[in-house]
Amino acid sequence: MNKKWYLYVNALSSLGSRMNLIACSALIFTFEHSAYWITAFFVARQLGGMLFSPLAGILADRMDRRRTMIASDMGAGLAILVIAFYPTPYVLIAAAFLNGMLYTLFHISFQASLPQIFGSEQLVQVNGLKVRLESLVGIMGFMLGGWLTDHYGYTIVIVLDAASFLFSAWILTRLRWEEKGNNALATSKAASSIRVTLRYLRDTPVLLTISLLAFLVSLSTSAYNYGLPFLADQLRGSDATLHGLMWTAMSVGGLIGSYVAARLRVKLVNGMLVAYAVFSVGIVGAFAANDAVSVLLLLIFAGLFSGAAQVYESTLLQQAQNELRGKVMGVQGLLSRSGYFAGFLMAPFLAGVFTLLGMLVFAQLMFVAGLIGFSLYLVFSPKK
């Protein structure tokens, strides 16, 4: 089977996840105290990923990465299917926690395998294609998820999401690639592996920057993840279609941005930092707008730079040593999930104290301050 099917498998899983986000948000709004439950949903998903990230990185280096992806897809599909039969708040939260763990294992194994499959010289183009595929399924998934939820209810969307993960697992059973690397280093004891990984990050300023920046990226992302359903509600009153269109707009921007980023000849780390800074400005503008059309246009603009940043960040992270690549991504995943966890805990409080826009501005100011700080660190850090 063609190696690029590997990228289509990841896009297929993303399609179901996009639809599921809209359906679960609509389901949560049917619960009493919906603001509490939507916070719990996002926090549970991030907490599962945060707690599991270090172990997921170790497993991705020790075990066959293809098999870990198959297991995580099957587990995610079954966990989501349970929601369709028992659509209660506690089942939804438990499934979110489990899927946070399984998505982390899949994502780390997936990202760590790309250099082995396609070669390091093709990583920018491969990551550009990966982000474009994810953007395309985002365009379809969010829009389709919103339309199906409005017209047929959340149950059918949740079932389709579960089916997409199970089909993805089946496709992976038909793919093969060669795993290479230093087995002695990859299978060393967990505690020793973590120490080696931390020393490796300390000696590699760019990878250390990406790992630490992951916390602030997630903090920023959690703010608009939490805010978009409420922004849609303010503009049109519990309109799942508009909520889906908002994510579709960002996916359209991501599609364009990833295409352009893969063809620009810029220093990867500079491209990543600048793209993230412009994205932050765009997302604030979207929440400051007061009509649906302006919001959607600004979300396209923000998505364009988010897509470019993802291409550069993934390519830089995949340049880590193969035997430690999964563990490096595990550390980055831990910090990323911690940022989401902190962000989703802070967002309701900040939105209550300030406004939805005030909450978003606060998160983006922290993000931009971090970007400036890490840029200075890279300029003045010893070159190795």
Side-chain angles (χ1 to χ4, degrees):
M1 190 175 285
N2 191 299
K3 290 188 295 184
K4 286 189 177 179
W5 273 99
Y6 187 69
L7 302 179
Y8 303 140
V9 168
N10 183 61
L12 179 63
S13 297
S14 297
L15 174 65
S17 296
R18 271 35 170 211
M19 294 169 60
N20 182 257
L21 176 63
I22 304 301
C24 286
S25 297
L27 172 60
I28 290 169
F29 276 112
T30 68
F31 300 152
E32 189 178 0
H33 310 301
S34 59
Y36 165 79
W37 286 116
I38 200 167
T39 301
F41 171 74
F42 284 124
V43 167
R45 193 164 59 171
Q46 305 314 322
L47 185 61
M50 181 177 70
L51 295 176
F52 195 62
S53 285
L55 179 58
I58 293 170
L59 291 174
D61 285 339
R62 287 188 179 185
M63 300 177 65
D64 184 301
R65 289 167 180 161
R66 184 180 65 90
R67 291 181 179 176
T68 62
M69 291 167 63
I70 292 171
S72 62
D73 263 348
M74 290 184 65
L78 294 174
I80 291 165
L81 196 59
V82 172
I83 301 172
F85 292 99
Y86 302 97
T88 66
Y90 295 106
V91 169
L92 186 67
I93 300 308
F97 180 84
L98 180 59
N99 281 333
M101 296 173 59
L102 294 172
Y103 173 79
T104 297
L105 179 59
F106 182 95
H107 179 72
I108 289 175
S109 299
F110 174 77
Q111 289 281 86
S113 296
L114 289 182
Q116 297 299 109
I117 297 173
F118 295 100
S120 58
E121 68 281 354
Q122 297 185 56
L123 282 179
V124 173
Q125 289 74 24
V126 168
N127 283 308
L129 175 59
K130 176 174 69 71
V131 174
R132 287 199 299 279
L133 287 171
E134 290 177 350
S135 298
L136 281 171
V137 300
I139 293 168
M140 295 184 294
F142 287 127
M143 188 163 51
L144 185 60
W147 186 83
L148 286 174
T149 299
D150 277 340
H151 290 81
Y152 298 100
Y154 56 80
T155 302
I156 188 171
V157 180
I158 291 172
V159 170
L160 288 172
D161 181 27
S164 75
F165 278 99
L166 296 175
F167 182 69
S168 171
W170 178 76
I171 289 291
L172 277 166
T173 64
R174 303 177 61 82
L175 293 176
R176 294 290 186 276
W177 60 86
E178 184 180 358
E179 295 282 356
K180 301 176 182 177
N182 185 331
N183 291 330
L185 182 57
T187 59
S188 58
K189 290 183 179 179
S192 175
S193 295
I194 291 172
R195 285 196 295 270
V196 170
T197 304
L198 293 178
R199 285 199 297 270
Y200 178 69
L201 285 173
R202 181 195 61 194
D203 295 336
T204 316
V206 171
L207 292 179
L208 180 60
T209 292
I210 293 172
S211 298
L212 295 175
L213 185 62
F215 180 87
L216 292 176
V217 171
S218 300
L219 198 68
S220 163
T221 304
S222 64
Y224 72 80
N225 270 243
Y226 176 83
L228 283 180
F230 293 100
L231 182 60
D233 187 55
Q234 286 179 6
L235 292 172
R236 288 193 181 172
S238 300
D239 188 341
T241 300
L242 178 58
H243 184 202
L245 284 172
M246 288 176 172
W247 286 104
T248 298
M250 292 199 69
S251 297
V252 170
L255 176 66
I256 300 168
S258 61
Y259 181 85
V260 174
R263 284 155 180 76
L264 289 178
R265 295 190 177 277
V266 298
K267 190 174 181 181
L268 295 177
V269 68
N270 293 344
M272 180 191 70
L273 293 171
V274 170
Y276 270 136
V278 180
F279 159 78
S280 189
V281 174
I283 202 72
V284 169
F287 275 77
N290 54 17
D291 65 274
V293 173
S294 297
V295 168
L296 293 174
L297 290 174
L298 285 163
L299 287 175
I300 291 173
F301 175 79
L304 192 153
F305 289 93
S306 176
Q310 289 175 50
V311 172
Y312 297 137
E313 180 182 348
S314 295
T315 305
L316 288 165
L317 201 57
Q318 288 157 3
Q319 292 174 1
Q321 185 178 341
N322 181 56
E323 295 78 15
L324 294 173
R325 191 178 300 131
K327 301 178 190 70
V328 168
M329 292 179 178
V331 171
Q332 192 247 12
L334 172 63
L335 290 167
S336 176
R337 294 292 183 167
S338 299
Y340 279 117
F341 181 72
F344 285 125
L345 285 178
M346 290 169 55
F349 171 77
L350 292 172
V353 172
F354 303 112
T355 60
L356 203 60
L357 176 60
M359 174 270 294
L360 203 285
V361 169
F362 181 86
Q364 302 314 309
L365 285 175
M366 290 183 63
F367 184 34
V368 171
L371 289 173
I372 294 170
F374 286 123
S375 298
L376 293 174
Y377 164 69
L378 288 173
V379 169
F380 295 107
S381 62
K383 302 296 184 292
K384 294 189 181 292

